[in-house]
Amino acid sequence: MAKIGINIATGSLQQPEIIVGIDLGTTNSLVAIIHPDTKQPTALKEFDGSSIVPSIVHFDAFGNAEVGAQAKPYLESDPQNTIFSAKRLMGKSYKDIREHQDFFAYKIIDDNRDSLVKVQVGNQFYSPIDLSSFILSELKKRAEHILKTPVTKAVITVPAYFNDTQRQATRDAGKLAGLDVLRIINEPTAASLAYGLGMNPTEDKTIAVYDLGGGTFDISILKISNGIFEVLSTNGDTYLGGDDLDRAIIEYWMKQWSLDNLDQHTQLKQELRLAAEKAKIALSTQSIFESEFAGEKISITKEVFETLIQPIVQKTIQCCEKAMQDAGLTVAVIDTVLMVGGSTRVPFVKSTVSEFFKQVVNDSVNPDEVVALGAAVQADILAGNNQNMLLLDITPLSLGIETMGGLMDVLLPRNSKIPTQAGRQYTTQKDAQSGINIAIYQGERDLVKDNRKLGAFTLTGIPAMPAGLPKVEVTFLINADGILQVKAKELRSGVAQTIEIKPQYGLTDEEVEQRLLESITHAKEDIQKRALVEASTEAEQMLDVTEKFITKNSALLSPDELKQTALAMQALQLAITMEDKNLIQTKTEELNDISRPFAERVMDQAISSALKGKGIDDKDL
Ligand code: ADP
Ligand code: MG
């Protein structure tokens, strides 16, 4: 039963079912709602007036997580246990982020380069989903504290360029935090909604959303017509933002006042960084910043600051140029330019962007809050409070297929607008596998056994190929009547098969509601189970590969190495039997550490024999 709360500040009764809008940012996150009295989008503020929660998680010696402003000082004093920018890791494998490894001061697991990244803190492993869920839990807790009512439903924003996996990861993080994520919307779309764009069904506009945050830059060109937002192009730089402006000031000061040897002084480094951010913020409204640092008077003028940051701002303009090119548009057709993100408060940024787009930019809504405010507008539309907005038909529950280990792989997340289509590629597990079973499920749980089976079929006649080589594309298509058509096609041979299903059939609204509730109550255990299945599958593959490798190349290894490998394999096998996810990961990593040098040695051998004219045959490896 939902509780009805009373807002202590205003004395007014709260709506029992409030849907919040959440901006889950790389640097900062916040929650907004449509104010029940003023009907205006409003960011939720603590008594100290702050609406912003830094997206930072610090783990203490006992593994307890602290989130937000309290966690910030640990960035310098306890970097290994302080996780920032978890959003950059969402849906990424180690391979994806390898070149930026230095950016992260904490430990990112690099053993299996193709699987999703994990972060190691002490002897615990956290996925980016876990980390984001800590931030979302904190936001939920704050919102409940401020609103004095339970908060269980949310709209969460993501960058326009986020792919399926990253969006699903964000949904999972919400679920893990106890939130029913009604919809994931694009940040630039949210910003437009906050500016009231797209609310009028007859409106037809092309807009640019320039978003310069703490560590990332995004430019999106959107077309709005009939209340539908279409992303025409996106561009940006995932490692460019306000932090770079701070760094420019730090470097200037270090040169100007010869502040060397700071590397050893964590405390001083942190102070200098804070002073630089303070200077930058001050220079957004005044022409000089003066302060004291380690006994020296330090200062910087707006003029100097602007020369320092000119190259950084210029880079964002190059991205804007590319985005315009990709959209096939000239700046003359852009009706409005919206400024989003804390760093657009810098006057030089504003003037440079206006110059590029040849128009005055729109910055009337608070750039830190605008994305969350727009998410709140969307939440209000979903709650049915805004009767003028037309709600298109949507899928009430997620649709997906069963993958290895009985996991649910969602192709169409719930609340997808229909008609719609989505596809994903899969492959075989065994050599010469001629058929692949496609089982279709509906529901929000992570294991298919807890969801509702809608149908199944087998794609047969796949020509004999080694495991992993066939490319089976599964496409879900829902037409305007809500009929789901599932098609599987092996792309190399062209063999295909199709099935048609009516997903809603037989489910009442109450049953849909019941299933959603269950997915929330079981979120934690579901996600743990999924993580365990994933870790075990990965470990089993590792054991398989190692075993094949050892059988073929035993002559190249010393008896001691063989023994070590056998022991590590046994330990991993035992961890799998014990169903201990962290242990499985540790043991997988250990086995990998032992076997990696062998693989390299065998590789070298193969290359040197190839040079002798024998040729490489990868079946020998
Ligand atoms: P994100 O979307 O990446 O989470 P935000 O939009 O919250 O980030 O932007 C955070 C950045 O904005 C920080 O680098 C912060 O220093 C900067 N910022 C905040 N206020 C100002 C200001 N008044 N002038 C200049 N920069 C600011
Ligand atoms: Mg942002």
Side-chain angles (χ1 to χ4, degrees):
M1 202 181 73
K3 286 186 200 133
I4 297 182
I6 296 172
N7 183 325
I8 294 188
T10 62
S12 64
L13 280 179
Q14 295 288 304
Q15 295 274 348
E17 279 279 40
I18 200 148
I19 308 177
V20 298
I22 296 181
D23 172 5
L24 181 61
T26 311
T27 313
N28 295 310
S29 300
L30 68 153
V31 186
I33 58 159
I34 298 297
H35 196 285
D37 303 331
T38 64
K39 307 286 177 229
Q40 291 304 307
T42 319
L44 295 182
K45 291 192 173 65
E46 288 287 0
F47 290 117
D48 64 2
S50 67
S51 57
I52 282 169
V53 178
S55 308
I56 304 171
V57 185
H58 173 253
F59 294 94
D60 68 13
F62 308 102
N64 299 318
E66 272 181 289
V67 178
Q70 304 106 286
K72 208 172 176 180
Y74 295 107
L75 280 178
E76 295 284 348
S77 65
D78 190 19
Q80 291 93 339
N81 301 318
T82 312
I83 318 298
F84 62 95
S85 280
K87 185 175 175 179
R88 291 176 201 274
L89 303 175
M90 285 296 243
K92 294 282 173 103
S93 69
Y94 177 74
K95 227 162 70 187
D96 298 328
I97 53 142
R98 185 167 40 188
E99 59 179 300
H100 295 288
Q101 168 98 72
D102 292 346
F103 175 86
F104 304 95
Y106 43 86
K107 185 168 184 213
I108 294 176
I109 302 300
D110 63 353
D111 59 350
N112 194 325
R113 296 171 177 231
D114 292 311
S115 65
L116 295 180
V117 292
K118 276 163 218 123
V119 168
Q120 186 175 3
V121 180
N123 54 8
Q124 290 290 316
F125 294 84
Y126 298 101
S127 68
I129 298 178
D130 297 328
L131 298 164
S132 299
S133 85
F134 286 121
I135 298 167
L136 289 169
S137 297
E138 173 71 21
L139 295 173
K140 176 179 187 296
K141 207 171 78 195
R142 271 177 159 239
E144 288 175 337
H145 178 238
I146 296 169
L147 296 169
K148 310 281 178 263
T149 178
V151 171
T152 58
K153 297 189 170 178
V155 169
I156 304 181
T157 59
V158 296
Y161 60 78
F162 255 30
N163 64 23
D164 246 24
T165 317
Q166 294 170 304
R167 285 167 199 262
Q168 186 56 38
T170 307
R171 271 178 188 279
D172 283 350
K175 206 156 110 177
L176 199 53
L179 289 169
D180 180 6
V181 182
L182 296 188
R183 196 170 284 182
I184 296 282
I185 64 168
N186 290 332
E187 286 161 11
T189 303
S192 315
L193 287 171
Y195 273 96
L197 295 167
M199 303 295 279
N200 174 355
T202 60
E203 163 183 83
D204 208 338
K205 280 207 164 92
T206 309
I207 65 163
V209 181
Y210 179 100
D211 182 347
L212 190 59
T216 57
F217 169 65
D218 298 309
I219 172 80
S220 315
I221 312 298
L222 305 184
K223 182 157 181 56
I224 307 172
S225 58
N226 308 317
I228 293 177
F229 290 79
E230 188 190 350
V231 180
L232 298 181
S233 69
T234 63
N235 207 291
D237 187 330
T238 44
Y239 290 87
L240 184 79
D243 296 345
D244 297 281
L245 308 185
D246 302 348
R247 221 166 288 129
I249 300 180
I250 293 175
E251 279 166 21
Y252 167 74
W253 279 343
M254 304 240 298
K255 246 196 273 160
Q256 210 72 5
W257 281 279
S258 328
L259 307 170
D260 305 331
N261 303 325
L262 275 187
D263 279 353
Q264 282 81 8
H265 296 93
T266 326
Q267 185 63 31
L268 283 184
K269 249 169 61 185
Q270 166 78 344
E271 276 171 28
L272 192 62
R273 192 150 93 167
L274 292 177
E277 189 176 3
K278 225 167 120 192
K280 171 185 75 177
I281 291 174
L283 293 177
S284 290
T285 48
Q286 56 199 63
S287 56
I288 183 160
F289 172 83
E290 291 172 301
S291 180
E292 215 169 276
F293 179 76
E296 300 259 17
K297 275 200 179 343
I298 51 167
S299 66
I300 182 166
T301 64
K302 188 169 172 185
E303 223 180 328
V304 169
F305 176 60
E306 293 186 349
T307 345
L308 294 176
I309 66 170
Q310 201 273 342
I312 301 171
V313 181
Q314 201 46 46
K315 270 197 202 163
T316 69
I317 298 297
Q318 281 161 10
C319 295
C320 294
E321 264 163 13
K322 284 191 207 125
M324 292 302 292
Q325 264 168 25
D326 290 347
L329 300 176
T330 59
V331 294
V333 303
I334 299 292
D335 295 303
T336 312
V337 181
L338 304 183
M339 297 302 264
V340 177
S343 302
T344 59
R345 284 227 176 78
V346 175
F348 181 70
V349 170
K350 264 185 238 179
S351 58
T352 312
V353 177
S354 329
E355 219 169 275
F356 174 76
F357 284 102
K358 300 197 169 65
Q359 57 188 291
V360 178
V361 294
N362 211 336
D363 61 356
S364 54
V365 181
N366 179 334
D368 301 317
E369 296 179 349
V370 59
V371 169
L373 296 176
V377 172
Q378 176 71 60
D380 198 47
I381 297 170
L382 289 176
N385 295 336
N386 197 325
Q387 297 298 337
N388 299 333
M389 284 298 287
L390 178 80
L391 251 193
L392 294 168
D393 255 354
I394 52 171
T395 55
L397 290 169
S398 302
L399 296 164
I401 66 168
E402 175 176 357
T403 54
M404 268 213 277
L407 292 182
M408 169 91 174
D409 195 28
V410 173
L411 275 96
L412 285 176
R414 79 190 196 85
N415 282 338
S416 299
K417 271 185 211 161
I418 53 179
T420 183
Q421 183 173 351
R424 198 169 290 160
Q425 283 187 13
Y426 299 89
T427 189
T428 49
Q429 278 164 264
K430 297 201 189 86
D431 290 341
Q433 189 177 328
S434 66
I436 194 163
N437 201 11
I438 313 283
I440 302 124
Y441 286 84
Q442 179 182 38
E444 309 311 305
R445 303 288 299 273
D446 281 344
L447 297 180
V448 292
K449 71 171 178 54
D450 300 317
N451 288 331
R452 180 164 182 257
K453 188 169 183 174
L454 296 176
F457 65 98
T458 309
L459 175 66
T460 52
I462 302 174
M465 280 182 257
L469 206 57
K471 280 190 184 166
V472 178
E473 185 170 74
V474 176
T475 341
F476 276 33
L477 190 135
I478 302 192
N479 66 16
D481 301 328
I483 306 287
L484 169 69
Q485 189 189 69
V486 180
K487 183 174 172 187
K489 182 176 181 184
E490 200 289 305
L491 299 178
R492 294 181 193 274
S493 56
V495 227
Q497 208 147 316
T498 305
I499 187 177
E500 260 188 18
I501 298 166
K502 188 138 192 273
Q504 257 99 307
Y505 183 72
L507 271 193
T508 63
D509 284 356
E510 287 74 32
E511 279 168 318
V512 169
E513 188 68 19
Q514 183 57 30
R515 272 160 196 277
L516 293 178
L517 264 176
E518 277 171 15
S519 79
I520 298 288
T521 35
H522 295 287
K524 196 154 188 165
E525 104 202 34
D526 267 14
I527 291 175
Q528 274 165 357
K529 264 190 234 159
R530 175 186 277 270
L532 176 65
V533 171
E534 278 168 358
S536 309
T537 312
E538 212 174 276
E540 267 155 18
Q541 277 166 351
M542 179 81 197
L543 282 172
D544 216 41
V545 170
T546 318
E547 191 161 333
K548 274 190 195 147
F549 179 87
I550 296 288
T551 329
K552 291 219 163 137
N553 302 292
S554 55
L556 286 168
L557 307 183
S558 72
D560 191 45
E561 284 171 338
L562 281 172
K563 192 173 146 208
Q564 260 195 36
T565 315
L567 283 177
M569 287 175 74
Q570 262 171 26
L572 179 55
Q573 191 62 59
L574 186 66
I576 297 176
T577 333
M578 286 163 65
E579 304 197 333
D580 179 338
K581 187 201 79 167
N582 281 331
L583 192 65
I584 295 174
Q585 279 166 338
T586 316
K587 294 297 165 197
T588 307
E589 216 189 333
E590 280 173 18
L591 178 58
N592 194 52
D593 284 345
I594 292 180
S595 59
R596 195 185 296 144
F598 307 161
E600 279 161 13
R601 202 182 313 153
V602 172
M603 197 65 137
D604 288 346
Q605 284 264 337
I607 289 169
S608 67
S609 40
L611 291 177
K612 284 180 204 135
K614 278 179 161 172
I616 303 181
D617 180 355
D618 61 4
K619 284 200 202 77
D620 284 345
L621 291 181

